[in-house]
Amino acid sequence: MIPLVDLQAAHAEVAEEVDAGFKRVLATTGFIGGGEVAAFEREFADFSGAAHCVGVANGTDAVELALRAAGVGPGDEVVVPANTFVGTVEPVARIGARVVMADMDPDTYLVDVDKMLAAVGPKTKAVVPVHLYGQLADAPRLRAELAGSGVAVVEDAAQCQGALRHGRGAGADGIAATSFYPGKNLGAYGDAGAVITPDQDQAIFVRTLGAHGGLQKYIHEIVGMNSRLDALQAVVLRAKLARLGAWNTLRRAAADRYHELLADLDVVRPVTLEGNEHVWHLYVVRIPGGPERRDAVLARLHESGVGAGIHYPYPLHLTPAFADPKYPAGSFPHAEKAAGEILSLPLYPQITVDQQEKTVAALATALEG
């Protein structure tokens, strides 16, 4: 079996360091907050080029906290890509704001900035560019176009730890939310997330809101929520963060190898937006011919022991939870077409040349039917 993601291989590299860190935390019983969390927040802020990092319970909470810090409230509108994970939009609904969608660029799968800007209306309070599959959407252009409008740019950076656009990372120039779900480039051993921002006031607000609305025990300044990074997860994240730069380099090498191995197959290889430094959270190809052919190829890959996947099989407007009469089928043609053709191939820092060659050989056979 060639897994889509090999978490065991990653753990083997950090096991001794994590074990020692767990023993430190257990010895002090400092499970919530404390030195490990504070150290990780400093280290991840430095890694990201951001001034401030606030650890939270998970990536979905991170999006909600970032939106609230940007001023989004009930009755506002938030523009999101139609092709993203549901965790991008659940926070909008939880706040009581309305989800507005925009189509994607068909080459990069990133949000089409022109369409996102066109979706901005008088009730829009924020737009959420999603940094999908390991590369950054054009958040700098969005910030420039929306400057002075009162519309915030809140970046969903759950899949891009270490990625750069023109040398700048998510959260360096505007507020961003990220996830440390186990399968991410920087993954915890459970749920975890963070908000990163250059703005100290936003960081304080996020920390306050996520700690039951107060920074002092039993002093609740605002109605808050419980969303904090715990110390055991911080131990894991610190150990992995120390290796993340090297791991991302290995991901890039594996992606380059896939580019070469796939050159003669009937697939569409992924495209990197000019100015981006990709970190290849996922290596996503397209299988021409529509969902029936793609699903058949996926089934054959699984039969041959290749753990391929689909990210994601349905655009948001075609899911029951976020169906909207305003967005019938056909509303976002690029997102809808891609959802029926995309296929994620196994990719992780420890993947071997042999595993990649076997994956591509299995894909070639699967394509032949």
Side-chain angles (χ1 to χ4, degrees), residues 53 136 169 247 262 272 274 279:
C53 169
L136 302 190
W247 283 353
L262 294 167
T272 299
E274 185 178 357
V279 293

Side-chain angles (χ1 to χ4, degrees), residues 13-281:
E13 294 191 32
V14 298
E16 186 174 337
E17 191 172 336
V18 167
D19 183 58
F22 280 3
K23 288 178 179 177
R24 290 196 305 270
V25 173
L26 293 171
T28 62
T29 66
F31 301 117
I32 304 296
E36 294 290 342
V37 172
F40 171 71
E41 289 177 337
R42 289 193 303 271
E43 291 161 4
F44 190 68
D46 289 343
F47 178 84
S48 304
H52 306 281
C53 169
V54 182
V56 301
N58 56 69
T60 307
D61 281 1
V63 175
E64 180 173 347
L65 288 160
L67 287 170
R68 290 184 183 275
V72 177
D76 292 331
E77 292 184 349
V78 177
V79 185
V80 304
N83 62 313
T84 185
F85 180 62
V86 71
T88 303
V89 292
E90 285 171 326
V92 178
R94 293 195 318 200
I95 289 171
R98 180 174 179 274
V99 175
V100 176
M101 301 183 200
D103 208 352
M104 67 172 209
D105 172 76
D107 295 323
T108 64
Y109 314 119
L110 301 170
V111 69
D112 183 318
V113 171
D114 289 328
K115 289 184 170 60
M116 178 165 269
L117 290 169
V120 171
K123 293 184 178 180
T124 305
K125 192 66 177 181
V127 300
V128 184
V130 176
H131 303 318
L132 200 64
Y133 303 153
Q135 67 169 324
L136 302 190
D138 200 350
R141 183 187 161 201
L142 286 166
R143 280 191 288 269
E145 296 273 4
L146 295 169
S149 68
V151 178
V153 179
V154 177
E155 302 173 56
D156 183 338
Q159 298 186 6
C160 71
Q161 294 94 353
L164 300 174
R165 176 151 186 78
H166 300 305
R168 303 287 287 177
D173 301 307
I175 194 165
T178 195
S179 168
F180 304 124
Y181 183 78
K184 304 300 186 186
N185 287 34
L186 180 61
Y189 288 176
D191 274 318
V195 175
I196 45 181
T197 175
D199 188 302
Q200 183 177 24
D201 290 339
Q202 285 184 331
I204 292 171
F205 179 84
V206 168
R207 195 177 299 281
T208 302
L209 189 62
H212 296 289
L215 299 181
Q216 298 181 53
K217 195 171 184 179
Y218 304 129
I219 304 297
H220 309 287
E221 300 171 2
I222 57 176
V223 177
M225 56 193 286
N226 179 18
S227 187
R228 297 170 290 188
L229 177 65
D230 72 66
L232 292 173
Q233 299 299 349
V235 165
V236 175
L237 292 170
R238 292 186 71 195
K240 289 189 172 184
L241 180 59
R243 295 162 174 81
L244 184 56
W247 283 353
N248 282 344
T249 297
L250 291 171
R251 286 177 178 272
R252 292 188 191 100
D256 288 345
R257 191 174 301 118
Y258 269 141
H259 290 339
E260 295 178 5
L261 292 170
L262 294 167
D264 296 327
L265 296 191
D266 182 25
V267 300
V268 179
R269 293 172 293 177
V271 173
T272 299
L273 183 65
E274 185 178 357
N276 275 357
E277 187 170 336
H278 209 307
V279 293
W280 299 103
H281 171 60

Side-chain angles (χ1 to χ4, degrees), residues 277-338:
E277 187 170 336
H278 209 307
V279 293
W280 299 103
H281 171 60
L282 293 166
Y283 189 93
V284 179
V285 299
R286 290 177 74 157
I287 309 297
E292 289 187 5
R293 183 175 187 234
R294 188 275 313 279
D295 292 348
V297 169
L298 178 63
R300 294 181 195 118
L301 286 174
H302 288 171
E303 290 170 1
S304 66
V306 175
I310 304 172
H311 300 85
Y312 301 97
Y314 306 104
L316 291 174
H317 66 297
L318 299 184
T319 63
F322 290 95
D324 187 330
K326 183 179 178 180
Y327 301 133
S331 297
F332 306 107
H334 293 311
E336 292 174 35
K337 181 174 174 57

